[in-house]
Amino acid sequence: QVQLVESGGGLVQPGGSLRLSCDASGIIISINYLAWYRQAPGKQRELVAEITSGGNTNYADSVKGRFTMSRGNAKNAVYLQMSSLIPEDTAVYYCNLRGRTLARGYDSWGQGTQVTVSP
C-alpha cells in the first residue's frame, strides 16, 4: 500500500556531490522510521543513514561528515545529500520507510538507484 521511488543516482567523479530523493505514495498515517541502505558489488547491503522514531539521525562511520539525510517539508519525501564522494560509495542505494497506513503497518522499500563514483 506504500510505494517508494528513489531517484537522483548517476555517474559522478570523485569529490563530487549527488542528491538522492525518495518519494512515498499511499495512505500514510505515520512514518516511524526512515533509512537509506546501499549495496555495493560483491558486498552485503549496509545501513547508510537512518532517522529513528525518536527523531535521531544516525550515520555509518564510512559516510559521517559527508552525507546528510533529511525529510521533505511539503510531501512524503526523504533525501540523501552526498558530498566528497569516493569510489567506495559506488552502490545501489535503497530507501526504507516504516510506519502505519489506515489499515496496517508497513515496511516498504524502493527499487534502488545506482550511484557510480569513478574518474
Side-chain angles (χ1 to χ4, degrees):
Q1 302 301 112
V2 177
Q3 294 84 38
L4 307 180
V5 178
E6 299 100 334
S7 62
L11 176 64
V12 65
Q13 294 184 348
S17 298
L18 213 57
R19 181 174 179 263
L20 305 184
S21 298
C22 173
D23 293 302
S25 62
I27 305 175
I28 299 173
I29 297 299
S30 65
I31 300 174
N32 298 325
Y33 178 84
L34 311 91
W36 284 97
Y37 286 78
R38 69 184 182 187
Q39 187 165 20
K43 296 184 178 180
Q44 298 191 82
R45 186 171 299 187
E46 65 172 341
L47 178 65
V48 176
E50 63 179 8
I51 301 176
T52 69
S53 60
N56 297 316
T57 305
N58 303 312
Y59 299 93
D61 288 340
S62 59
V63 307
K64 194 173 300 182
R66 301 187 298 115
F67 290 12
T68 301
M69 183 178 180
S70 62
R71 295 185 64 177
N73 295 324
K75 56 184 178 180
N76 293 322
V78 186
Y79 304 102
L80 185 67
Q81 179 66 50
M82 307 183 294
S83 62
S84 301
L85 286 163
I86 59 178
E88 289 74 19
D89 295 321
T90 296
V92 178
Y93 284 72
Y94 299 90
C95 181
N96 173 229
L97 268 64
R98 306 172 193 173
R100 286 194 61 83
T101 65
L102 283 172
R104 62 188 63 85
Y106 66 87
D107 182 356
S108 298
W109 293 81
Q111 83 290 341
T113 184
Q114 176 71 51
V115 172
T116 302
V117 184
S118 175

